[in-house]
Amino acid sequence: MTWPRFLALALCAVPLGARSEDDALARGLAATCANCHGTEGRSVSRELPSLAGMSKEKIAADLRAFRSGARPATVMHQLARGYTDAQIDLVAAYFGARKN
Amino acid sequence: MDRRRFLRVAAALAPWAAAGAAAQTKARVVVVGGGYGGATVARYLKLWAPATEVTLVERESAFVSCPLSNLVIGGHASLDDVTRGYGGLAKAGVRIIADSATAIDASRKAVRLARGPELAYDRLVVSPGIDFLFSAMPNYEAAARAGRVLHAWKAGAETVALRKQLEALRDGAVYVLSIPLAPYRCPPGPYERACQVASYFKKAKPRSKVLVLDANEDITSKAALFRKAWAELYPGLIEYRSNSMAVDVDGPSKTVKLELDDVKGDVLNVIPPHRASQLAADAGLITHNDRWCNVDWRTMESTAVPGVHVLGDATLSAPAMAKAGHMANQQAKVCAAAIIEMLAGRAPNPRPVFASTCYSFVSATEAIHVASVHQWNEQEKTVTIVPGSNGVSAARSEQEARYAWAWARNTWADMLGG
Protein backbone atom coordinates (compact mmCIF):
# COMPACT_ATOMS: atom_id res chain seq x y z
CA MET A 1 0.00 0.00 0.00
CA THR A 2 1.33 3.46 -0.84
CA TRP A 3 1.56 6.08 1.86
CA PRO A 4 -1.05 8.43 0.28
CA ARG A 5 -3.40 5.50 -0.17
CA PHE A 6 -2.95 4.48 3.47
CA LEU A 7 -3.72 8.03 4.57
CA ALA A 8 -6.80 8.17 2.40
CA LEU A 9 -8.06 4.93 3.87
CA ALA A 10 -7.31 6.10 7.37
CA LEU A 11 -9.30 9.26 6.77
CA CYS A 12 -12.22 7.26 5.40
CA ALA A 13 -12.17 5.26 8.59
CA VAL A 14 -13.21 8.31 10.61
CA PRO A 15 -16.98 7.90 11.01
CA LEU A 16 -18.92 10.20 8.72
CA GLY A 17 -20.55 13.05 10.59
CA ALA A 18 -18.62 12.32 13.78
CA ARG A 19 -21.05 12.65 16.68
CA SER A 20 -20.75 15.04 19.51
CA GLU A 21 -20.96 13.67 23.04
CA ASP A 22 -24.43 15.22 23.34
CA ASP A 23 -25.72 13.24 20.37
CA ALA A 24 -24.72 9.96 22.00
CA LEU A 25 -26.25 11.08 25.29
CA ALA A 26 -29.50 12.12 23.61
CA ARG A 27 -29.71 8.86 21.68
CA GLY A 28 -29.28 6.83 24.85
CA LEU A 29 -31.78 8.90 26.82
CA ALA A 30 -34.35 8.74 24.03
CA ALA A 31 -33.95 4.96 23.94
CA THR A 32 -35.36 4.81 27.47
CA CYS A 33 -38.73 5.89 26.00
CA ALA A 34 -38.87 3.19 23.30
CA ASN A 35 -40.65 0.48 25.29
CA CYS A 36 -43.89 2.45 25.19
CA HIS A 37 -43.32 4.97 22.39
CA GLY A 38 -41.47 2.80 19.88
CA THR A 39 -37.91 2.53 18.61
CA GLU A 40 -36.65 6.05 17.81
CA GLY A 41 -40.06 7.32 18.92
CA ARG A 42 -42.10 5.51 16.27
CA SER A 43 -44.91 3.69 18.06
CA VAL A 44 -46.40 0.58 16.46
CA SER A 45 -49.56 0.89 18.58
CA ARG A 46 -52.29 3.48 18.28
CA GLU A 47 -52.77 3.42 22.07
CA LEU A 48 -49.49 5.22 22.72
CA PRO A 49 -48.28 8.20 20.72
CA SER A 50 -45.19 8.37 18.54
CA LEU A 51 -42.74 11.00 19.73
CA ALA A 52 -40.94 11.23 16.40
CA GLY A 53 -42.62 13.97 14.43
CA MET A 54 -43.62 16.05 17.46
CA SER A 55 -41.92 19.40 17.87
CA LYS A 56 -39.19 19.61 20.46
CA GLU A 57 -41.02 22.49 22.13
CA LYS A 58 -44.15 20.38 22.62
CA ILE A 59 -42.24 17.36 23.96
CA ALA A 60 -40.29 19.48 26.44
CA ALA A 61 -43.41 21.35 27.55
CA ASP A 62 -45.40 18.11 27.94
CA LEU A 63 -42.67 16.46 30.00
CA ARG A 64 -42.46 19.50 32.29
CA ALA A 65 -46.25 19.57 32.65
CA PHE A 66 -46.24 15.87 33.57
CA ARG A 67 -43.43 16.50 36.04
CA SER A 68 -45.18 19.38 37.80
CA GLY A 69 -48.50 17.56 37.85
CA ALA A 70 -50.15 20.25 35.71
CA ARG A 71 -51.00 17.55 33.19
CA PRO A 72 -52.63 14.46 34.67
CA ALA A 73 -51.33 11.03 33.65
CA THR A 74 -51.37 7.35 34.59
CA VAL A 75 -47.58 6.95 34.60
CA MET A 76 -45.83 9.90 32.91
CA HIS A 77 -46.08 12.10 36.03
CA GLN A 78 -43.82 9.53 37.69
CA LEU A 79 -41.37 8.85 34.85
CA ALA A 80 -40.96 12.55 33.99
CA ARG A 81 -39.61 13.18 37.50
CA GLY A 82 -36.70 10.87 36.73
CA TYR A 83 -35.06 13.25 34.25
CA THR A 84 -33.22 16.55 34.77
CA ASP A 85 -34.09 19.69 32.80
CA ALA A 86 -31.02 19.19 30.64
CA GLN A 87 -32.02 15.58 29.94
CA ILE A 88 -35.58 16.61 29.02
CA ASP A 89 -34.18 19.12 26.53
CA LEU A 90 -31.87 16.50 24.98
CA VAL A 91 -34.69 13.97 24.61
CA ALA A 92 -37.05 16.59 23.18
CA ALA A 93 -34.48 17.75 20.63
CA TYR A 94 -33.72 14.15 19.63
CA PHE A 95 -37.36 13.28 18.85
CA GLY A 96 -38.07 16.75 17.47
CA ALA A 97 -35.43 16.15 14.79
CA ARG A 98 -37.01 12.88 13.70
CA LYS A 99 -39.77 12.23 11.18
CA ASN A 100 -42.49 9.77 11.99
CA MET B 1 7.84 10.07 8.40
CA ASP B 2 7.52 6.67 6.82
CA ARG B 3 4.45 4.58 7.32
CA ARG B 4 5.99 2.11 9.71
CA ARG B 5 7.28 4.89 11.92
CA PHE B 6 3.90 6.66 11.74
CA LEU B 7 2.18 3.52 12.97
CA ARG B 8 4.70 3.07 15.80
CA VAL B 9 4.26 6.66 16.93
CA ALA B 10 0.49 6.50 16.67
CA ALA B 11 0.40 3.32 18.70
CA ALA B 12 2.61 4.85 21.38
CA LEU B 13 0.60 8.06 21.56
CA ALA B 14 -2.88 6.65 21.74
CA PRO B 15 -3.59 3.32 23.36
CA TRP B 16 -7.07 3.57 21.83
CA ALA B 17 -5.77 3.83 18.28
CA ALA B 18 -5.46 0.07 18.01
CA ALA B 19 -8.98 -0.45 19.33
CA GLY B 20 -10.25 2.22 16.98
CA ALA B 21 -8.66 0.47 14.04
CA ALA B 22 -10.14 -2.84 15.16
CA ALA B 23 -13.59 -1.25 15.26
CA GLN B 24 -13.20 -0.18 11.65
CA THR B 25 -12.30 -3.69 10.53
CA LYS B 26 -15.69 -4.97 11.69
CA ALA B 27 -15.66 -5.50 15.41
CA ARG B 28 -17.27 -8.78 16.37
CA VAL B 29 -19.83 -8.86 19.16
CA VAL B 30 -21.32 -12.19 20.16
CA VAL B 31 -24.56 -12.21 22.16
CA VAL B 32 -25.68 -15.31 24.04
CA GLY B 33 -29.42 -15.50 24.76
CA GLY B 34 -32.23 -13.97 22.71
CA GLY B 35 -34.58 -12.77 25.45
CA TYR B 36 -35.36 -9.20 26.52
CA GLY B 37 -31.70 -8.41 27.16
CA GLY B 38 -29.89 -10.26 24.40
CA ALA B 39 -32.26 -9.50 21.53
CA THR B 40 -32.27 -5.81 22.46
CA VAL B 41 -28.50 -5.44 22.61
CA ALA B 42 -28.18 -7.17 19.21
CA ARG B 43 -30.81 -4.89 17.68
CA TYR B 44 -29.34 -1.68 19.10
CA LEU B 45 -25.78 -2.53 18.10
CA LYS B 46 -26.97 -2.84 14.49
CA LEU B 47 -29.13 0.28 14.83
CA TRP B 48 -26.42 2.50 16.28
CA ALA B 49 -23.28 0.95 14.73
CA PRO B 50 -24.37 -0.93 11.60
CA ALA B 51 -20.80 -1.91 10.69
CA THR B 52 -20.52 -4.08 13.82
CA GLU B 53 -20.68 -7.81 13.15
CA VAL B 54 -23.32 -9.04 15.59
CA THR B 55 -23.98 -12.75 16.17
CA LEU B 56 -26.83 -13.92 18.40
CA VAL B 57 -26.80 -17.44 19.80
CA GLU B 58 -30.27 -18.63 20.80
CA ARG B 59 -31.43 -22.22 21.14
CA GLU B 60 -35.16 -21.54 20.73
CA SER B 61 -36.62 -20.84 17.30
CA ALA B 62 -38.98 -18.15 18.59
CA PHE B 63 -39.17 -15.68 21.45
CA VAL B 64 -41.89 -16.31 24.05
CA SER B 65 -42.51 -13.40 26.40
CA CYS B 66 -42.82 -13.98 30.13
CA PRO B 67 -44.52 -10.57 30.53
CA LEU B 68 -48.20 -11.03 29.57
CA SER B 69 -47.89 -14.84 29.62
CA ASN B 70 -50.00 -14.97 32.80
CA LEU B 71 -52.90 -14.01 30.51
CA VAL B 72 -52.45 -17.40 28.82
CA ILE B 73 -52.83 -19.08 32.21
CA GLY B 74 -56.00 -17.04 32.86
CA GLY B 75 -57.39 -18.05 29.47
CA HIS B 76 -57.36 -14.47 28.14
CA ALA B 77 -54.61 -14.87 25.52
CA SER B 78 -52.94 -17.66 23.58
CA LEU B 79 -49.26 -18.56 23.63
CA ASP B 80 -49.13 -17.30 20.02
CA ASP B 81 -50.22 -13.86 21.27
CA VAL B 82 -47.02 -13.62 23.35
CA THR B 83 -44.70 -15.28 20.81
CA ARG B 84 -42.61 -13.51 18.17
CA GLY B 85 -40.05 -14.72 15.62
CA TYR B 86 -36.44 -13.70 15.15
CA GLY B 87 -36.93 -12.74 11.48
CA GLY B 88 -36.88 -9.00 12.21
CA LEU B 89 -33.49 -9.27 13.88
CA ALA B 90 -32.11 -11.22 10.92
CA LYS B 91 -33.44 -8.51 8.62
CA ALA B 92 -31.69 -5.92 10.79
CA GLY B 93 -28.41 -7.66 9.96
CA VAL B 94 -27.96 -9.81 13.06
CA ARG B 95 -26.50 -13.23 12.32
CA ILE B 96 -28.62 -15.70 14.27
CA ILE B 97 -27.26 -19.10 15.25
CA ALA B 98 -29.76 -21.65 16.55
CA ASP B 99 -27.52 -23.39 19.05
CA SER B 100 -26.62 -23.48 22.74
CA ALA B 101 -23.50 -21.87 24.15
CA THR B 102 -21.78 -24.46 26.30
CA ALA B 103 -18.68 -22.61 27.52
CA ILE B 104 -16.96 -19.24 27.47
CA ASP B 105 -13.19 -19.06 27.12
CA ALA B 106 -12.56 -15.45 28.07
CA SER B 107 -8.76 -15.77 27.79
CA ARG B 108 -9.09 -16.71 24.12
CA LYS B 109 -12.22 -14.59 23.60
CA ALA B 110 -14.23 -17.48 22.23
CA VAL B 111 -17.62 -19.08 22.88
CA ARG B 112 -18.08 -22.82 22.43
CA LEU B 113 -21.36 -24.12 21.05
CA ALA B 114 -23.13 -27.44 21.50
CA ARG B 115 -23.16 -28.23 17.78
CA GLY B 116 -21.50 -25.55 15.66
CA PRO B 117 -17.91 -24.27 15.53
CA GLU B 118 -16.76 -21.89 18.24
CA LEU B 119 -17.28 -18.15 17.83
CA ALA B 120 -14.54 -15.57 18.34
CA TYR B 121 -15.47 -12.17 19.75
CA ASP B 122 -14.07 -8.76 20.55
CA ARG B 123 -16.86 -8.20 23.09
CA LEU B 124 -19.23 -10.82 24.48
CA VAL B 125 -22.69 -10.16 25.92
CA VAL B 126 -24.42 -12.88 27.91
CA SER B 127 -28.07 -12.51 28.74
CA PRO B 128 -28.46 -16.06 29.99
CA GLY B 129 -31.52 -15.82 32.22
CA ILE B 130 -31.98 -17.97 35.28
CA ASP B 131 -31.70 -21.56 36.36
CA PHE B 132 -33.77 -23.00 39.19
CA LEU B 133 -32.09 -24.08 42.41
CA PHE B 134 -33.77 -27.46 42.51
CA SER B 135 -31.38 -28.45 45.28
CA ALA B 136 -33.54 -26.30 47.60
CA MET B 137 -36.33 -28.89 47.15
CA PRO B 138 -34.86 -32.42 46.96
CA ASN B 139 -37.92 -34.13 45.44
CA TYR B 140 -38.94 -31.35 43.03
CA GLU B 141 -37.39 -32.72 39.87
CA ALA B 142 -38.83 -36.21 40.30
CA ALA B 143 -42.28 -34.72 40.93
CA ALA B 144 -41.87 -32.46 37.89
CA ARG B 145 -40.95 -35.43 35.66
CA ALA B 146 -44.10 -37.19 36.88
CA GLY B 147 -46.16 -34.11 35.95
CA ARG B 148 -47.13 -33.45 39.60
CA VAL B 149 -45.58 -29.96 39.95
CA LEU B 150 -44.59 -27.16 37.60
CA HIS B 151 -43.15 -23.65 37.81
CA ALA B 152 -44.32 -22.06 34.52
CA TRP B 153 -41.73 -19.37 35.34
CA LYS B 154 -40.13 -19.59 31.89
CA ALA B 155 -42.84 -18.89 29.35
CA GLY B 156 -43.52 -21.68 26.86
CA ALA B 157 -44.46 -25.33 27.26
CA GLU B 158 -45.00 -25.06 31.03
CA THR B 159 -47.30 -22.07 30.59
CA VAL B 160 -49.56 -24.16 28.37
CA ALA B 161 -49.24 -27.20 30.64
CA LEU B 162 -50.39 -25.16 33.66
CA ARG B 163 -53.38 -23.85 31.72
CA LYS B 164 -54.33 -27.41 30.76
CA GLN B 165 -54.08 -28.59 34.37
CA LEU B 166 -56.40 -25.77 35.45
CA GLU B 167 -58.89 -26.62 32.72
CA ALA B 168 -58.91 -30.27 33.80
CA LEU B 169 -59.70 -29.43 37.44
CA ARG B 170 -63.04 -30.20 39.06
CA ASP B 171 -64.91 -27.34 40.69
CA GLY B 172 -63.94 -27.08 44.35
CA ALA B 173 -60.27 -27.81 43.71
CA VAL B 174 -57.24 -26.05 45.20
CA TYR B 175 -54.51 -24.39 43.11
CA VAL B 176 -51.34 -23.82 45.15
CA LEU B 177 -48.87 -21.13 44.13
CA SER B 178 -45.55 -21.08 46.00
CA ILE B 179 -43.36 -17.95 45.76
CA PRO B 180 -39.63 -18.02 46.62
CA LEU B 181 -37.82 -15.46 48.73
CA ALA B 182 -36.85 -12.28 46.86
CA PRO B 183 -34.88 -11.66 44.73
CA TYR B 184 -36.61 -13.66 42.05
CA ARG B 185 -37.61 -12.96 38.43
CA CYS B 186 -40.55 -10.54 38.05
CA PRO B 187 -41.55 -9.50 41.59
CA PRO B 188 -45.26 -8.81 40.85
CA GLY B 189 -45.62 -11.83 38.54
CA PRO B 190 -46.86 -14.36 41.12
CA TYR B 191 -49.55 -12.01 42.45
CA GLU B 192 -50.67 -11.27 38.90
CA ARG B 193 -50.84 -15.02 38.32
CA ALA B 194 -53.03 -15.43 41.41
CA CYS B 195 -55.40 -12.84 39.86
CA GLN B 196 -55.43 -14.64 36.52
CA VAL B 197 -56.16 -18.08 37.99
CA ALA B 198 -58.84 -16.54 40.23
CA SER B 199 -60.44 -14.82 37.23
CA TYR B 200 -60.70 -18.23 35.55
CA PHE B 201 -62.09 -19.91 38.68
CA LYS B 202 -64.63 -17.13 39.21
CA LYS B 203 -66.07 -17.77 35.77
CA ALA B 204 -65.64 -21.53 35.37
CA LYS B 205 -65.04 -23.13 38.80
CA PRO B 206 -66.39 -20.75 41.45
CA ARG B 207 -66.06 -23.16 44.40
CA SER B 208 -62.31 -23.57 43.77
CA LYS B 209 -59.55 -21.77 45.63
CA VAL B 210 -56.21 -20.09 44.94
CA LEU B 211 -53.82 -20.65 47.82
CA VAL B 212 -50.73 -18.41 47.73
CA LEU B 213 -47.77 -19.57 49.84
CA ASP B 214 -45.34 -16.68 49.93
CA ALA B 215 -41.85 -17.16 51.39
CA ASN B 216 -41.70 -13.38 51.81
CA GLU B 217 -43.17 -11.50 54.75
CA ASP B 218 -45.55 -9.59 52.49
CA ILE B 219 -46.53 -9.09 48.86
CA THR B 220 -43.29 -7.88 47.28
CA SER B 221 -44.70 -5.45 44.66
CA LYS B 222 -47.84 -3.31 44.16
CA ALA B 223 -49.11 -4.78 47.44
CA ALA B 224 -52.03 -2.43 48.13
CA LEU B 225 -53.30 -2.64 44.56
CA PHE B 226 -53.17 -6.44 44.52
CA ARG B 227 -54.89 -6.70 47.90
CA LYS B 228 -57.66 -4.40 46.68
CA ALA B 229 -58.10 -6.40 43.45
CA TRP B 230 -58.23 -9.68 45.36
CA ALA B 231 -60.83 -8.35 47.81
CA GLU B 232 -63.02 -6.60 45.25
CA LEU B 233 -62.77 -8.87 42.21
CA TYR B 234 -62.23 -12.29 43.76
CA PRO B 235 -63.79 -12.30 47.25
CA GLY B 236 -63.28 -15.66 48.96
CA LEU B 237 -61.30 -17.08 46.04
CA ILE B 238 -57.73 -16.21 47.09
CA GLU B 239 -56.10 -17.14 50.37
CA TYR B 240 -52.72 -15.51 51.03
CA ARG B 241 -50.19 -16.83 53.53
CA SER B 242 -46.99 -14.87 54.15
CA ASN B 243 -43.76 -16.29 55.65
CA SER B 244 -44.56 -19.66 54.07
CA MET B 245 -41.43 -20.96 52.41
CA ALA B 246 -41.63 -24.23 50.49
CA VAL B 247 -38.77 -26.57 51.39
CA ASP B 248 -39.84 -29.56 49.29
CA VAL B 249 -42.70 -31.13 47.36
CA ASP B 250 -44.10 -34.63 47.44
CA GLY B 251 -45.32 -35.62 43.99
CA PRO B 252 -47.40 -38.72 44.77
CA SER B 253 -49.50 -36.97 47.45
CA LYS B 254 -49.41 -33.55 45.70
CA THR B 255 -48.08 -31.87 48.80
CA VAL B 256 -46.00 -28.74 49.30
CA LYS B 257 -43.82 -29.05 52.37
CA LEU B 258 -43.33 -25.85 54.35
CA GLU B 259 -40.94 -25.43 57.25
CA LEU B 260 -43.60 -26.27 59.87
CA ASP B 261 -46.51 -27.52 57.89
CA ASP B 262 -47.69 -29.50 54.85
CA VAL B 263 -50.18 -28.20 52.29
CA LYS B 264 -52.04 -30.39 49.79
CA GLY B 265 -53.34 -29.14 46.47
CA ASP B 266 -54.80 -30.30 43.19
CA VAL B 267 -52.44 -28.24 41.03
CA LEU B 268 -49.01 -27.46 42.45
CA ASN B 269 -47.37 -24.39 40.94
CA VAL B 270 -44.14 -24.16 42.90
CA ILE B 271 -41.56 -21.61 41.77
CA PRO B 272 -38.16 -22.67 43.11
CA PRO B 273 -35.55 -20.03 44.03
CA HIS B 274 -33.21 -19.21 41.17
CA ARG B 275 -29.77 -18.01 40.27
CA ALA B 276 -27.91 -16.89 37.13
CA SER B 277 -27.78 -19.73 34.62
CA GLN B 278 -25.18 -22.51 34.61
CA LEU B 279 -23.33 -20.91 31.68
CA ALA B 280 -22.71 -17.83 33.84
CA ALA B 281 -21.57 -20.02 36.71
CA ASP B 282 -19.14 -22.00 34.54
CA ALA B 283 -17.72 -18.81 33.06
CA GLY B 284 -16.89 -17.41 36.49
CA LEU B 285 -19.40 -14.57 36.13
CA ILE B 286 -21.25 -15.33 39.35
CA THR B 287 -19.79 -13.16 42.09
CA HIS B 288 -22.52 -12.72 44.70
CA ASN B 289 -23.86 -15.35 47.07
CA ASP B 290 -23.15 -18.08 44.55
CA ARG B 291 -26.20 -16.78 42.66
CA TRP B 292 -25.83 -13.47 40.81
CA CYS B 293 -23.39 -11.64 38.52
CA ASN B 294 -21.97 -8.27 39.58
CA VAL B 295 -21.69 -5.73 36.78
CA ASP B 296 -20.49 -2.17 36.33
CA TRP B 297 -23.79 -0.39 35.66
CA ARG B 298 -22.12 2.14 33.34
CA THR B 299 -21.18 -0.59 30.85
CA MET B 300 -22.91 -3.78 32.07
CA GLU B 301 -19.43 -5.35 31.98
CA SER B 302 -18.81 -8.15 34.43
CA THR B 303 -16.71 -7.11 37.43
CA ALA B 304 -15.11 -10.57 37.32
CA VAL B 305 -14.40 -11.29 33.64
CA PRO B 306 -13.16 -8.44 31.42
CA GLY B 307 -14.67 -8.19 27.95
CA VAL B 308 -17.85 -9.98 29.00
CA HIS B 309 -21.07 -8.04 29.62
CA VAL B 310 -24.01 -9.51 31.54
CA LEU B 311 -27.65 -8.47 31.16
CA GLY B 312 -30.99 -9.14 32.75
CA ASP B 313 -32.16 -11.39 35.54
CA ALA B 314 -28.71 -12.97 35.93
CA THR B 315 -27.22 -9.74 37.29
CA LEU B 316 -27.00 -8.78 40.94
CA SER B 317 -29.69 -6.13 40.75
CA ALA B 318 -28.90 -2.57 41.78
CA PRO B 319 -30.87 -1.31 44.80
CA ALA B 320 -34.64 -1.40 44.09
CA MET B 321 -34.05 -2.54 40.51
CA ALA B 322 -36.38 -5.43 39.69
CA LYS B 323 -35.47 -8.52 37.70
CA ALA B 324 -37.76 -7.78 34.78
CA GLY B 325 -37.92 -7.84 30.99
CA HIS B 326 -38.30 -4.09 30.67
CA MET B 327 -35.22 -3.58 32.83
CA ALA B 328 -33.18 -6.07 30.77
CA ASN B 329 -34.16 -4.15 27.63
CA GLN B 330 -32.97 -0.90 29.21
CA GLN B 331 -29.73 -2.48 30.41
CA ALA B 332 -29.15 -3.74 26.88
CA LYS B 333 -29.27 -0.21 25.44
CA VAL B 334 -26.79 1.06 28.02
CA CYS B 335 -24.62 -1.94 27.14
CA ALA B 336 -24.88 -1.38 23.37
CA ALA B 337 -23.94 2.29 23.75
CA ALA B 338 -20.99 1.41 26.01
CA ILE B 339 -19.71 -1.33 23.68
CA ILE B 340 -19.80 1.04 20.70
CA GLU B 341 -17.78 3.64 22.60
CA MET B 342 -15.32 1.07 23.96
CA LEU B 343 -14.73 -0.52 20.55
CA ALA B 344 -14.05 2.94 19.14
CA GLY B 345 -11.57 3.67 21.91
CA ARG B 346 -13.76 6.28 23.57
CA ALA B 347 -14.94 6.44 27.16
CA PRO B 348 -18.51 5.20 27.72
CA ASN B 349 -21.23 7.51 29.05
CA PRO B 350 -20.47 7.78 32.78
CA ARG B 351 -24.10 8.53 33.73
CA PRO B 352 -26.49 5.98 32.19
CA VAL B 353 -30.26 6.14 32.76
CA PHE B 354 -32.62 3.18 33.14
CA ALA B 355 -36.39 3.65 33.10
CA SER B 356 -38.96 1.00 33.96
CA THR B 357 -42.68 0.56 33.60
CA CYS B 358 -44.09 -2.77 34.67
CA TYR B 359 -47.74 -3.66 34.10
CA SER B 360 -49.70 -6.46 35.79
CA PHE B 361 -53.13 -7.67 34.68
CA VAL B 362 -55.47 -8.07 37.65
CA SER B 363 -58.26 -9.36 35.38
CA ALA B 364 -58.74 -9.94 31.65
CA THR B 365 -59.22 -6.26 31.01
CA GLU B 366 -57.71 -4.25 33.89
CA ALA B 367 -54.08 -3.58 34.75
CA ILE B 368 -51.89 -1.76 37.27
CA HIS B 369 -48.29 -0.57 37.04
CA VAL B 370 -45.16 0.27 38.96
CA ALA B 371 -42.72 2.73 37.38
CA SER B 372 -39.29 4.12 38.24
CA VAL B 373 -36.28 5.88 36.75
CA HIS B 374 -32.78 4.88 37.85
CA GLN B 375 -29.66 6.98 37.32
CA TRP B 376 -25.99 6.54 38.11
CA ASN B 377 -25.31 7.79 41.63
CA GLU B 378 -21.72 9.01 42.00
CA GLN B 379 -21.81 8.91 45.82
CA GLU B 380 -23.11 5.35 46.00
CA LYS B 381 -21.16 4.16 42.94
CA THR B 382 -24.22 2.33 41.70
CA VAL B 383 -27.55 3.04 40.05
CA THR B 384 -30.33 4.31 42.32
CA ILE B 385 -33.94 5.44 41.90
CA VAL B 386 -34.40 9.16 41.25
CA PRO B 387 -36.51 10.40 44.18
CA GLY B 388 -40.09 11.04 43.10
CA SER B 389 -39.85 8.98 39.91
CA ASN B 390 -41.13 5.76 41.43
CA GLY B 391 -44.79 5.06 41.94
CA VAL B 392 -47.74 2.83 41.22
CA SER B 393 -51.18 3.24 39.62
CA ALA B 394 -53.75 5.38 41.37
CA ALA B 395 -56.20 2.53 40.67
CA ARG B 396 -56.56 -0.46 38.36
CA SER B 397 -58.05 0.47 35.01
CA GLU B 398 -58.92 -0.71 31.52
CA GLN B 399 -56.86 2.16 30.15
CA GLU B 400 -53.72 0.71 31.75
CA ALA B 401 -54.57 -2.71 30.29
CA ARG B 402 -54.63 -1.16 26.81
CA TYR B 403 -51.32 0.56 27.60
CA ALA B 404 -49.90 -2.77 28.77
CA TRP B 405 -50.64 -4.39 25.40
CA ALA B 406 -49.22 -1.33 23.62
CA TRP B 407 -46.13 -1.58 25.84
CA ALA B 408 -45.74 -5.22 24.76
CA ARG B 409 -46.12 -4.49 21.05
CA ASN B 410 -43.66 -1.61 21.15
CA THR B 411 -41.17 -3.44 23.34
CA TRP B 412 -41.25 -6.61 21.23
CA ALA B 413 -40.75 -4.54 18.07
CA ASP B 414 -37.98 -2.59 19.83
CA MET B 415 -36.02 -5.71 20.76
CA LEU B 416 -36.77 -7.91 17.75
CA GLY B 417 -36.99 -5.36 14.95
CA GLY B 418 -39.98 -4.47 12.73
Side-chain angles (χ1 to χ4, degrees):
Chain A
M1 194 186 302
T2 61
W3 175 230
R5 187 162 149 67
F6 169 77
L7 244 190
L9 274 179
L11 285 174
C12 287
V14 175
L16 291 174
R19 305 162 303 102
S20 74
E21 211 172 290
D22 269 6
D23 292 340
L25 272 184
R27 188 175 71 178
L29 284 167
T32 66
C33 311
N35 300 71
C36 297
H37 296 282
T39 308
E40 298 190 313
R42 298 182 186 98
S43 176
V44 299
S45 164
R46 274 172 303 176
E47 287 291 341
L48 292 166
S50 289
L51 301 176
M54 279 190 198
S55 76
K56 70 174 181 189
E57 291 79 13
K58 176 171 165 50
I59 295 169
D62 283 356
L63 284 171
R64 291 197 167 91
F66 284 131
R67 201 169 61 175
S68 72
R71 180 167 167 184
T74 58
V75 64
M76 281 310 302
H77 61 302
Q78 293 154 350
L79 293 171
R81 288 187 190 124
Y83 298 82
T84 63
D85 274 315
Q87 289 172 332
I88 283 178
D89 290 337
L90 279 172
V91 165
Y94 180 89
F95 289 124
R98 254 152 193 86
K99 288 195 169 58
N100 186 21
Chain B
M1 196 188 298
D2 68 13
R3 179 185 156 219
R4 197 166 298 157
R5 183 162 154 68
F6 169 82
L7 283 178
R8 233 186 1 250
V9 170
L13 283 178
W16 314 291
Q24 298 310 325
T25 58
K26 280 222 162 193
R28 298 157 305 173
V29 180
V30 173
V31 181
V32 176
Y36 277 91
T40 305
V41 76
R43 168 95 199 278
Y44 271 76
L45 283 166
K46 291 307 286 185
L47 186 69
W48 287 343
T52 316
E53 192 182 292
V54 182
T55 304
L56 173 67
V57 180
E58 167 57 50
R59 63 183 163 221
E60 304 293 339
S61 59
F63 163 77
V64 186
S65 173
C66 280
L68 275 79
S69 71
N70 276 331
L71 287 171
V72 178
I73 291 161
H76 308 306
S78 71
L79 199 67
D80 276 353
D81 292 333
V82 299
T83 302
R84 292 291 183 276
Y86 286 106
L89 271 185
K91 225 172 6 178
V94 176
R95 177 180 168 224
I96 297 166
I97 297 184
D99 207 334
S100 297
T102 54
I104 295 163
D105 186 341
S107 61
R108 288 177 46 249
K109 293 198 161 188
V111 178
R112 276 199 287 281
L113 304 180
R115 295 189 300 276
E118 72 171 23
L119 301 169
Y121 64 81
D122 296 306
R123 290 260 152 202
L124 175 66
V125 184
V126 290
S127 192
I130 53 148
D131 278 351
F132 295 107
L133 286 169
F134 292 119
S135 56
M137 300 180 200
N139 292 295
Y140 190 102
E141 286 180 283
R145 277 194 297 275
R148 313 288 282 185
V149 66
L150 37 65
H151 52 76
W153 216 238
K154 295 182 180 185
E158 288 222 358
T159 311
V160 174
L162 175 54
R163 174 65 194 169
K164 285 198 173 135
Q165 287 193 13
L166 294 171
E167 284 173 353
L169 279 180
R170 64 184 164 85
D171 194 6
V174 177
Y175 160 78
V176 180
L177 173 60
S178 160
I179 307 170
L181 273 179
Y184 57 86
R185 160 180 280 181
C186 187
Y191 314 106
E192 177 190 57
R193 180 169 293 181
C195 291
Q196 288 300 315
V197 175
S199 81
Y200 171 63
F201 284 170
K202 185 178 173 179
K203 190 178 61 180
K205 283 148 193 170
R207 292 186 297 114
S208 303
K209 193 167 92 174
V210 173
L211 175 55
V212 181
L213 304 174
D214 196 340
N216 299 284
E217 60 186 19
D218 195 4
I219 297 172
T220 61
S221 178
K222 309 173 195 172
L225 288 160
F226 277 121
R227 264 196 288 271
K228 196 163 154 61
W230 292 353
E232 292 176 0
L233 299 175
Y234 313 112
L237 272 168
I238 300 176
E239 180 185 337
Y240 177 76
R241 294 191 201 167
S242 60
N243 296 310
S244 298
M245 184 162 71
V247 294
D248 204 358
V249 294
D250 183 61
S253 62
K254 283 209 173 164
T255 301
V256 179
K257 295 186 170 298
L258 306 176
E259 285 161 303
L260 300 174
D261 188 3
D262 287 357
V263 176
K264 278 182 191 290
D266 298 288
V267 169
L268 301 190
N269 183 185
V270 177
I271 306 165
H274 15 294
R275 72 162 180 168
S277 78
Q278 191 60 43
L279 179 74
D282 293 342
L285 295 164
I286 294 183
T287 47
H288 182 85
N289 241 353
D290 205 22
R291 287 177 73 185
W292 310 114
C293 307
N294 273 89
V295 295
D296 181 332
W297 292 99
R298 293 164 295 189
T299 58
M300 302 305 298
E301 188 170 11
S302 163
T303 58
V305 186
V308 181
H309 303 250
V310 187
L311 302 178
D313 297 345
T315 59
L316 174 66
S317 305
M321 184 184 272
K323 297 190 182 300
H326 189 129
M327 193 46 81
N329 166 284
Q330 298 267 314
Q331 293 166 2
K333 293 166 187 172
V334 168
C335 182
I339 284 176
I340 291 164
E341 298 305 308
M342 292 162 103
L343 287 171
R346 296 186 296 260
N349 174 14
R351 292 181 301 278
V353 181
F354 307 78
S356 174
T357 308
C358 156
Y359 289 101
S360 303
F361 281 83
V362 295
S363 68
T365 54
E366 293 175 298
I368 56 179
H369 80 263
V370 57
S372 52
V373 179
H374 308 242
Q375 299 220 21
W376 177 256
N377 183 323
E378 194 53 41
Q379 266 119 51
E380 314 243 343
K381 300 285 176 213
T382 184
V383 169
T384 57
I385 287 185
V386 180
S389 73
N390 56 321
V392 298
S393 308
R396 66 176 182 270
S397 71
E398 294 190 355
Q399 184 182 23
E400 291 214 40
R402 291 193 299 274
Y403 287 170
W405 273 108
W407 169 90
R409 292 191 178 108
N410 272 317
T411 299
W412 296 339
D414 188 48
M415 58 188 279
L416 295 163

